[in-house]
Amino acid sequence: MNNCIQRVPRGGGGLGNTNDATRSNNGPGTNQPPSQTTTIRKQKTLNTLHQTSFLIVASTSIVAFSPLPSLLRHLGNGSSISSSSSPQEQAVKILSVLSALSASIELFLSPIVGVWIDTFGRKQPASLLYGLITLANLGVVLYPSVASICVSRMVNVIISGFLMIVANAIIGDVFSSSSSSKDGYDTAGVPKVKEDDVHGKDQMGSTIGRQAAAVSLGFLFGSLVGGRLMELGERAPYALASIFSALAALNMAWKMNDSLQYSSGAARQCTHHWNWGLLRQKVRDAPLSSIQLLFHYGSHMRTLALLMLLQSAPMYMGDVFQVFARDEWGLLPKDFGGLIALFGILGILSNLSLSPVLKILGIRKFTLFAILSSLLSPTAVVLFSTYTPFLIAACFGFYSSAQKVGTSAAMTSLAYDLGIPQGELAGQKASMSALLKIICPVLYSWLYLKGKSMSLDVREVSSDSTPFLGIATALGKVGGKMPFLLNVLLGAVAFGVTW
């Protein structure tokens, strides 16, 4: 099978050497080869994706922490229905309901969005979704109220998940046709690994890392700017967020080359007309879409999906980490904000430095290394009771934020071999993540509260009252650290699966 992406010589950058590709076409022997022209267009597509991702993530991050103080202001002014609960309790309940409802909607609609972008292309649906975020934020600017704030919150959360589907599909389109070969199997059914194929997967991993860096930079920028703008009132952050999301829509609409043209398998799905039979099937299967990757595509995809679940679960601790940092370490809100900013900086550094590390270690060894890095910080929390060891461990384990790069690249490559459209794959991955958003906050909250209660109960347990005093004492000493103990166990299992 002919590769769509021109391979980069050792020492080259990006998807190809654009210096040679941009020479003048005048004169004999200077015309650009078709493959080189395609390579330049693919590089432009990826650059536009990174720019647009930064803009839209910055937009959603600017208003990510605005709903709580805005709701408190409106509820405290009596603009809502009177209640015996305090404004803070009402605001927390509203945001909890919105989070659960948003995750449920994302779980149901993610596979349908995957069909949508496979049918109509990546460019137009993404531009429309960016436009919806702009309208939702403008609603708060024009008419600030509890209702408009809740609508904006839901639209930002839900569509942010959908836009990850678009980004993953675009990267899959660009690289899937060159990441593997259907003819490259030996008699035992094991893929034959070629140096060229491995280099292509390393390029895909580097691109995923740059995309993650753009997202991390957008989150860091938006969080810092949004916190400052909240001091000027609620309209200011929503107005700036509207500008950023509008710029993202314009950038996508004018600069993006629709990546479906690079993926022959997906291009056959792009008819620009709804396949109503397929759509009805996706609607029926939507409740089970989150587990499709575990049961419908064979053992190899099942292993990769399980690994992604293990790697993703600690990301959805919800508010448990903030509560733990406040109660156990005594961190003030501004200190916790500084910690989140540090995580953002570490994420940017790790993802930007992926390319040389991947060339040295390769996808599999890097994934093992990143999983080991992810074990450092939760282990420090379990073993020590102060904040400093955790901070040191987080700095040394900064590659933990890139541990899913190898898994994502392997899933993209396998999906191409199995003939799965990249939009459909991205939709099912997003649906699986939405399921974690529903389950994990509840699980981690229960572990934290249960651990706290056990730490109190074990003080009252005598040696004559139970034959399991040793176990009870050990768990009692862990106490509120049980969520982090779970993260250590998940990381250990992920390491075993990757090994």
Side-chain angles (χ1 to χ4, degrees), residues 63-259:
V63 296
F65 304 106
S66 299
L68 181 59
S70 297
L71 288 175
L72 287 175
R73 185 181 299 110
H74 287 281
L75 295 172
N77 291 336
S79 60
S80 66
I81 300 175
S82 60
S83 172
S84 58
S85 302
S86 66
Q88 183 172 358
E89 291 175 341
Q90 293 180 58
V92 171
K93 289 179 181 178
I94 290 174
L95 292 178
S96 299
V97 171
L98 290 178
S99 297
L101 184 59
S102 299
S104 300
I105 294 174
E106 186 180 346
L107 173 68
F108 184 82
L109 291 183
S110 290
I112 299 175
V113 172
V115 175
W116 181 25
I117 64 176
D118 280 337
T119 302
F120 292 92
R122 320 306 193 199
K123 181 176 180 177
Q124 293 179 356
S127 301
L128 177 60
L129 292 173
Y130 293 137
L132 290 177
I133 291 180
T134 303
L135 292 177
N137 291 332
L138 283 176
V140 181
V141 176
L142 298 176
Y143 183 69
S145 65
V146 172
S148 61
I149 293 170
C150 290
V151 170
S152 174
R153 174 71 169 182
M154 287 192 64
V155 170
N156 275 274
V157 171
I158 294 172
I159 295 184
S160 295
F162 293 164
L163 295 177
M164 293 302 103
I165 300 176
V166 176
N168 290 333
I170 291 174
I171 295 175
D173 291 339
V174 171
F175 285 99
S176 61
S177 59
S178 63
S179 60
S180 60
S181 174
K182 293 182 181 180
D183 299 328
Y185 291 87
D186 59 21
T187 56
V190 179
K192 296 178 181 178
V193 179
K194 302 177 183 179
E195 181 182 357
D196 200 43
D197 293 338
V198 173
H199 187 44
K201 290 184 180 179
D202 290 346
Q203 280 189 310
M204 191 197 310
S206 299
T207 299
I208 294 174
R210 288 193 294 271
Q211 172 65 14
V215 171
S216 298
L217 184 61
F219 175 76
L220 177 62
F221 173 82
S223 301
L224 295 176
V225 173
R228 296 289 185 180
L229 290 179
M230 277 303 298
E231 301 175 359
L232 304 178
E234 62 192 15
R235 280 190 168 95
Y238 283 98
L240 184 61
S242 301
I243 294 174
F244 270 79
S245 57
L247 289 175
L250 293 174
N251 196 54
M252 174 66 72
W254 286 354
K255 294 182 61 178
M256 174 65 72
N257 295 319
D258 203 312
S259 60

Side-chain angles (χ1 to χ4, degrees), residues 204-320:
M204 191 197 310
S206 299
T207 299
I208 294 174
R210 288 193 294 271
Q211 172 65 14
V215 171
S216 298
L217 184 61
F219 175 76
L220 177 62
F221 173 82
S223 301
L224 295 176
V225 173
R228 296 289 185 180
L229 290 179
M230 277 303 298
E231 301 175 359
L232 304 178
E234 62 192 15
R235 280 190 168 95
Y238 283 98
L240 184 61
S242 301
I243 294 174
F244 270 79
S245 57
L247 289 175
L250 293 174
N251 196 54
M252 174 66 72
W254 286 354
K255 294 182 61 178
M256 174 65 72
N257 295 319
D258 203 312
S259 60
L260 270 176
Q261 61 185 300
Y262 308 131
S263 181
S264 58
R268 288 194 295 269
Q269 306 285 333
C270 185
T271 61
H272 294 279
H273 298 286
W274 282 111
N275 183 337
W276 294 106
L278 178 61
L279 187 61
R280 284 193 296 269
Q281 178 185 348
K282 292 299 179 181
V283 171
R284 290 195 303 266
D285 295 343
L288 300 177
S289 61
S290 58
I291 59 175
Q292 291 269 4
L293 294 175
L294 291 171
F295 298 105
H296 287 265
Y297 302 117
S299 59
H300 193 182
M301 182 66 79
R302 182 182 305 116
T303 301
L304 292 173
L306 176 62
L307 180 59
M308 180 157 285
L309 285 173
L310 294 170
Q311 294 171 326
S312 301
M315 298 172 54
Y316 302 113
M317 291 182 67
D319 299 323
V320 170

